[in-house]
Amino acid sequence: NAGVTQTPKFRVLKTGQSMTLLCAQDMNHEYMYWYRQDPGMGLRLIHYSVGEGTTAKGEVPDGYNVSRLKKQNFLLGLESAAPSQTSVYFCASRLDGNYGYTFGSGTRLTVV
Amino acid sequence: TQLLEQSPQFLSIQEGENLTVYCNSSSVFSSLQWYRQEPGEGPVLLVTVVTGGEVKKLKRLTFQFGDARKDSSLHITAAQPGDTGLYLCAGVSRGGATNKLIFGTGTLLAVQP
C-alpha cells in the first residue's frame, strides 16, 4: 500500500549513543516533516523539507539533524541521545500546501 | 507563536451519546484540518475546512469552521466505540508559512459500549 513507512518502530538507546530514523514515502510528495509527540505537548515540529535537497528547522530542532538526499526519503539523526529525547517520533508527507498530511505509524524511542 | 487550544482535553461517554470538541485560537487561519489518531498509529486526516462558516459532514461527524476563521468544532452524533481516539485540529495560519501546520493539543475521546 502507498504511504509513509518509518523504521524502526521501536528503539532503546543509551545516553550519548547516536541513531538515524528513516522515513520513506512512495507518493511523490514534495513536503516531508518530522514531529515528536509527548503527553500533554501535542505534536511538535522538529525539522521539515519542502523538496529534495532542502531542510529547515521547526519548533524544536536542537539535538537533531536531518537530510533529504532523495525525494522519497527523509532521515532524522540523533548525534548524542539524551533522556529528554524519549518520545514517539512521527514522519509525515504531503503533496503541497493545499493538502493534508499523510503520517507514518511512528517510532517509539526510549533513551536510558 | 500561534496556539490552537482544544477542549475538552479528555472525554469519556457512553455509546449513543452526542459530543462536541472545540478548537480555538486568537489567530486567524486560512484553513484548518481535523485528524484522528488511534493508539500506536499516526494521525489520519478526516477533513479540511477552508471557508469561514463552512460546514462539512462525514457520516456522523460534522465539522464547522468559525466565521472569523479563528475556531472550529467537531460534533459527533450517536458516538460509537469505533470513534475512540485522539482528535487533533491543525491549521495554516494566515500570513504564516503555508508549508507547515500548527497542531492543537488534542482531545482524547473514549466511547464506552
Side-chain angles (χ1 to χ4, degrees):
Chain A
N1 291 335
V4 177
T5 303
Q6 292 184 234
T7 53
K9 291 189 181 299
F10 302 94
R11 185 73 186 268
V12 178
L13 284 180
K14 293 183 178 179
T15 298
Q17 286 186 320
S18 63
M19 77 163 294
T20 300
L21 281 66
L22 172 64
C23 176
Q25 53 94 4
D26 57 4
M27 299 170 285
N28 202 35
H29 284 177
E30 290 292 335
Y31 295 63
M32 297 187 75
Y33 306 82
W34 276 107
Y35 284 86
R36 59 178 290 173
Q37 187 174 37
D38 303 289
M41 302 292 289
L43 282 159
R44 292 184 292 169
L45 182 63
I46 304 170
H47 287 281
Y48 64 101
S49 168
V50 300
E52 181 179 317
T54 74
T55 63
K57 292 181 179 180
E59 184 185 356
V60 287
D62 294 342
Y64 305 95
N65 57 76
V66 288
S67 64
R68 184 102 181 266
L69 299 180
K70 293 184 179 181
K71 186 176 184 179
Q72 64 267 33
N73 295 335
F74 195 28
L75 278 63
L76 176 70
L78 285 73
E79 292 185 347
S80 179
S84 61
Q85 294 178 305
T86 293
S87 186
V88 180
Y89 291 86
F90 286 99
C91 176
S93 71
R94 63 172 167 170
L95 186 61
D96 64 30
N98 295 317
Y99 289 81
Y101 285 20
T102 299
F103 280 87
S105 58
T107 295
R108 184 173 293 275
L109 174 66
T110 302
V111 183
V112 297
Chain B
T1 303
Q2 295 89 9
L3 291 176
L4 274 171
E5 296 186 358
Q6 289 184 236
S7 62
Q9 281 188 298
F10 305 98
L11 194 54
S12 181
I13 62 172
Q14 294 296 121
E15 182 175 1
E17 292 184 12
N18 302 332
L19 68 117
T20 302
V21 175
Y22 299 94
C23 175
N24 295 294
S25 176
S26 57
S27 301
V28 175
F29 287 86
S30 56
S31 66
L32 199 135
Q33 300 172 355
W34 284 91
Y35 293 80
R36 180 170 65 211
Q37 183 178 16
E38 297 185 10
E41 298 296 327
V44 175
L45 178 68
L46 295 174
V47 76
T48 300
V49 286
V50 179
T51 306
E54 182 177 2
V55 176
K56 281 192 174 179
K57 292 191 175 183
L58 186 66
K59 297 184 180 179
R60 292 177 294 100
L61 278 62
T62 302
F63 304 86
Q64 185 164 8
F65 199 15
D67 291 340
R69 302 162 78 130
K70 293 183 177 181
D71 56 271
S72 181
S73 64
L74 158 60
H75 182 79
I76 302 179
T77 303
Q80 298 178 0
D83 295 327
T84 293
L86 178 67
Y87 288 82
L88 296 160
C89 62
V92 176
S93 64
R94 178 175 285 181
T98 58
N99 49 25
K100 54 184 177 179
L101 291 174
I102 300 165
F103 279 86
T105 49
T107 294
L108 187 58
L109 172 65
V111 182
Q112 311 297 332

